[in-house]
Amino acid sequence: MCGIVGYVGFRSAPELLLDGLTRLEYRGYDSAGIAVQRDSEIGIRKKVGRVEELRKLVAANPVRGSIGIGHTRWATHGATTDVNSHPHVGGNGEVVLVHNGVIENYAKLKEQLQGLGYVFRTATDSEVVAHLIAHHLEEQIKLGEDPESVSTYMKAVEVSLKKLKGTYGLAILFRDLPNLILVARAGSPLVIGVGKGEHFIASDASPLAGYTDEVVYLADHEMAVITADHVDLHRRDEGRVKMSVQTINQVSTDLDLGKFDHYMLKEIYEQPESIENCLRGRIDDDSATSKFGGLNIDPQELRLVDRIVLTACGTSWHAGLVGEYLIEEFARIPVEVEYASELRYRNPPLTERTMVFAITQSGETADTLAAMRECKRKGHKSLAICNVVGSTIAREADGGIYLHAGPEIGVASTKAFTSQVTALSLLALYLGRMRHMSYHAGKRMISQLRDMPDTIRRTLGCHDSVREISAKYAGYDNFLYLGRLYNFPVALEGALKLKEISYIHAEGYPAAEMKHGPIALVDEETPSVFVIPRGAIYPKIMSNLEEIKARRGKVIAIACEGDHRIADLADDVIYVPEVEDFLQPLVTSIPLQLLAYHIALERGCNVDRPRNLAKSVTVE
Ligand code: M6R
């Protein structure tokens, strides 16, 4: 995780770095820091807490210069303290750097460097890199290399990087070589923004919005020396390489909360539009199917696909489970949903007719990226269902589907989930129409999908009742979430939402499975949230609900408008519009998002920045 920014040019670096860090705070918000250079003076300011805290520190104790680097941290090695915050200093101050990633062999390197007399001030793995570079710099100079030449510094960095095992995105300042930043990447993303007489560095393109549209995505094992006027790009063992500048069409991230108190609530309310945007331009009425601009796969080849693997993490994995049900029901293609963190190290027997989809909001999740790369390595067509345009996964996939959900800033994923489910519904329709699905069935599905934005608007009408119910249940410390068929993944997702923002223990289960163990947890102190809309197996799940009631468990039911029977059984009911089974996740997930949101607020939690989490999980 962690976010990196850098700037070299003519503007005042501190403000630019602080604004960039604010935009990257979704990558981690344990602490933040900047280093700003003027001639051979490098001023460092760093602080535990949000970028706002750092901003106050810099205001009280300013640093000045037009070149600098910054970092927002999600701690991996070493507690969240001021001293463990980045930037880190190597040697006697000749190297200052920020690092995103994990150095797996740091303990061994640290021991060696300590043996050489290097004094460590922090408990981080990143400080090892700073001292290692300082050490090799000294070695190069001892070998007679010119201490004022950039190539001496590059050699020192190159030798050091070859000793590292793990992942890194690095931005480095050198005390005795002012006016440049050296960046390097292996496994952690870095983007260079190209301006006129200035250059920018960031972990992703979002901090560049409003400054430049011209970007260079650094590839693994590339490093670049960046001055105000020039970028010198090198690839490990190949030397200098030509850089390819891409133009991106980026609108400045909308950080405005508008009338909402939190991004999570704003994003919950954006769902009618985000679903509409996901559907836009993707319906082919004449052929009663869907269409995608970027799949990059020949329909003939698609017809041969006999197995689909959906791989993802967290909420995106839950969307994948809904996708499994959708694709198997409508396209009759066997689907497996794999945790990306497992798939990357497993070796399942995939055939040449297997197609892999990575599902990800950010497009930067380390495990999802690694799983996709592993599948590509083995020759499987690997596509992405992704929200962030230009993200690493979007760029590396063979093709894919963008969600067009707009920026999701709240750590708890909401609109990305419903957009992923929408994209998977369109995919199921597309694959279904290539196989067994009739024209009329395709037409029906299209008309139901088209109604969804309005149906979601109506669903949001449950907000007041959810608020009231949340106040009643906020004091409980354990919850069960139960649903069946399409609502089983919704139950998992509802439980995850509650856990991550309110720190309440919650378990999601297929409702009938609870008899095989979890029902032992049921008592008056453990409420169950039942997702029980009318549909194929409504009477079955009703029996499961009765089983809970028979054990004095409290029940909050998510049920269809007009379902009066449920009101007699459940302690509390949240009503949602009735839709076809396959569309239920789009509707039933919404009261669960609101429930988690209001319970978290009741408990005084920070809903947008929950503890220990980051929006984008870029370490494995
Ligand atoms: O960006 P991604 O969709 O790849 O992220 C995957 C998970 O880290 C993410 O969904 C996480 O579980 C959310 N915080 C859940 O709300």
Side-chain angles (χ1 to χ4, degrees):
M1 340 265 243
C2 308
I4 288 180
V5 290
Y7 177 75
V8 46
F10 50 85
R11 304 177 204 243
S12 165
E15 291 76 29
L16 225 130
L17 296 173
L18 288 165
D19 288 348
L21 289 179
T22 304
R23 289 189 180 272
L24 288 183
E25 227 180 1
Y26 74 89
R27 303 176 74 93
Y29 37 83
D30 289 340
S31 62
I34 56 171
V36 177
Q37 183 162 19
R38 191 138 72 158
D39 302 324
S40 56
E41 250 178 59
I42 302 180
I44 297 178
R45 302 288 180 271
K46 49 191 196 173
K47 184 109 192 83
V48 163
R50 306 277 308 267
V51 176
E52 249 348 274
E53 297 304 314
L54 176 67
R55 207 181 275 277
K56 285 183 207 152
L57 178 73
V58 174
N61 192 0
V63 269
R64 292 198 176 85
S66 305
I67 171 164
I69 54 179
H71 187 268
T72 176
R73 181 173 188 235
W74 186 84
T76 59
H77 295 65
T80 50
T81 60
D82 287 347
V83 77
N84 284 338
S85 312
H86 296 226
H88 293 296
V89 176
N92 293 316
E94 50 272 40
V95 175
V96 176
L97 61 76
V98 290
H99 167 225
N100 169 25
V102 172
I103 306 302
E104 289 165 7
N105 60 337
Y106 86 99
K108 195 169 155 214
L109 291 169
K110 185 170 179 174
E111 209 181 297
Q112 288 167 0
L113 287 161
Q114 280 171 327
L116 291 168
Y118 286 88
V119 179
F120 279 78
R121 303 164 188 97
T122 80
T124 66
D125 53 340
S126 312
E127 192 185 3
V128 167
V129 188
H131 284 310
L132 192 65
I133 295 172
H135 168 64
H136 284 295
L137 192 54
E138 202 184 326
E139 291 289 292
Q140 292 293 323
I141 294 168
K142 270 195 209 149
L143 286 170
E145 297 288 342
D146 180 357
E148 291 184 4
S149 157
V150 178
S151 74
T152 307
Y153 286 77
M154 288 182 70
K155 271 186 212 150
V157 173
E158 221 167 353
V159 178
S160 305
L161 297 185
K162 283 189 175 164
K163 293 193 169 166
L164 302 180
K165 289 203 171 74
T167 52
Y168 54 79
L170 291 164
I172 313 166
L173 296 175
F174 298 104
R175 184 190 61 201
D176 302 325
L177 208 58
N179 307 328
L180 66 80
I181 304 174
L182 195 151
V183 294
R185 165 190 171 152
S188 304
L190 269 185
V191 185
I192 302 169
V194 181
K196 284 200 173 64
E198 59 183 348
H199 284 105
F200 308 82
I201 298 154
S203 294
D204 70 42
S206 60
L208 313 182
Y211 294 103
T212 179
D213 291 339
E214 310 268 279
V215 300
V216 177
Y217 290 102
L218 223 62
D220 279 347
H221 305 301
E222 284 184 348
M223 67 181 198
V225 174
I226 307 172
T227 63
D229 302 309
H230 190 68
V231 177
D232 193 10
L233 188 67
H234 288 245
R235 192 165 302 142
R236 183 185 281 184
D237 302 327
E238 284 180 40
R240 182 169 287 135
V241 288
K242 204 169 164 280
M243 66 175 187
S244 119
V245 182
Q246 298 180 30
T247 304
I248 53 166
N249 186 4
Q250 191 175 229
V251 282
S252 191
T253 310
D254 178 13
L255 292 178
D256 185 8
L257 276 169
K259 60 179 180 175
F260 297 99
D261 291 335
H262 300 96
Y263 289 111
M264 182 178 174
L265 190 62
K266 178 174 183 247
E267 287 154 11
I268 291 173
Y269 268 84
E270 280 170 356
Q271 289 176 106
E273 286 76 37
S274 52
I275 289 174
E276 203 152 26
N277 290 341
C278 186
L279 292 171
R280 183 166 299 119
R282 288 183 168 148
I283 306 278
D284 176 350
D285 284 296
D286 291 344
S287 309
T289 187
S290 48
K291 53 184 180 182
F292 302 99
L295 273 189
N296 297 342
I297 181 164
D298 179 39
Q300 211 44 43
E301 205 182 327
L302 261 184
R303 261 176 219 109
L304 296 177
V305 168
D306 66 359
R307 189 169 170 199
I308 292 179
V309 172
L310 303 176
T311 189
C313 302
T315 288
S316 300
W317 186 82
H318 296 153
L321 284 182
V322 180
E324 176 185 8
Y325 288 29
L326 286 164
I327 295 169
E328 291 196 344
E329 176 173 348
F330 294 107
R332 314 298 302 155
I333 303 172
V335 178
E336 274 145 62
V337 189
E338 292 264 3
Y339 280 117
S341 53
E342 291 295 306
L343 182 61
R344 64 181 293 186
Y345 294 118
R346 258 160 50 72
N347 194 10
L350 308 183
T351 70
E352 56 195 20
R353 288 161 70 178
T354 304
M355 190 168 69
V356 178
F357 273 93
I359 308 175
T360 170
Q361 188 285 129
S362 62
E364 301 293 349
T365 303
D367 285 321
T368 311
L369 175 61
M372 189 183 85
R373 283 181 177 163
E374 182 64 18
C375 294
K376 280 188 77 170
R377 193 171 295 124
K378 291 177 176 148
H380 301 291
K381 200 86 183 169
S382 300
L383 299 109
I385 296 178
C386 182
N387 193 34
V388 178
V389 177
S391 57
T392 309
I393 292 177
R395 283 182 291 113
E396 291 195 16
D398 295 314
I401 306 172
Y402 275 124
L403 300 179
H404 300 309
E408 191 181 66
I409 293 166
V411 165
S413 187
T414 52
K415 63 176 178 172
F417 174 76
T418 46
S419 293
Q420 286 163 341
V421 170
T422 306
L424 285 159
S425 310
L426 288 168
L427 183 65
L429 168 66
Y430 184 62
L431 296 172
R433 286 285 295 129
M434 280 184 164
R435 291 174 165 76
H436 319 274
M437 192 192 286
S438 71
Y439 176 85
H440 291 291
K443 276 276 185 208
R444 205 169 119 77
M445 200 165 165
I446 287 173
S447 123
Q448 288 159 342
L449 277 166
R450 274 211 173 104
D451 286 344
M452 283 324 285
D454 277 341
T455 310
I456 304 295
R457 272 180 206 107
R458 267 174 54 211
T459 309
L460 287 164
C462 71
H463 193 165
D464 285 343
S465 83
V466 177
R467 192 185 286 113
E468 268 171 40
I469 291 170
S470 305
K472 202 165 147 190
Y473 287 88
Y476 290 89
D477 291 326
N478 293 288
F479 280 74
L480 283 174
Y481 279 70
L482 303 163
R484 293 183 78 163
L485 297 184
Y486 280 103
N487 288 303
F488 158 51
V490 173
L492 294 179
E493 175 59 7
L496 176 63
K497 289 287 87 90
L498 189 70
K499 274 186 270 214
E500 69 180 328
I501 60 169
S502 69
Y503 322 136
I504 293 173
H505 171 242
E507 304 246 12
Y509 267 93
E513 264 299 301
M514 75 181 174
K515 291 192 290 295
H516 303 282
I519 199 163
L521 298 170
V522 172
D523 62 13
E524 284 159 320
E525 296 306 312
T526 305
S528 295
V529 180
F530 259 85
V531 190
I532 184 169
R534 279 193 211 97
I537 57 162
Y538 176 79
K540 303 277 178 199
I541 184 165
M542 192 58 105
S543 309
N544 302 139
L545 192 153
E546 303 242 23
E547 287 153 14
I548 295 281
K549 284 313 299 170
R551 285 156 185 86
R552 291 180 293 119
K554 293 202 163 49
V555 168
I556 305 168
I558 312 297
C560 285
E561 286 161 350
D563 183 345
H564 302 302
R565 188 174 155 216
I566 196 94
D568 295 335
L569 283 170
D571 297 85
D572 290 282
V573 186
I574 300 165
Y575 287 107
V576 294
E578 184 168 352
V579 291
E580 288 283 320
D581 286 21
F582 82 96
L583 292 170
Q584 284 170 357
L586 294 177
V587 170
T588 53
S589 58
I590 288 177
L592 301 191
Q593 295 167 352
L594 288 167
L595 188 70
Y597 172 79
H598 281 291
I599 290 182
L601 282 188
E602 289 283 338
R603 290 170 79 106
C605 300
N606 183 339
V607 288
D608 282 336
R609 296 279 185 262
R611 72 182 181 204
N612 303 341
L613 293 173
K615 182 70 183 156
S616 179
V617 184
T618 56
V619 292
E620 78 166 290

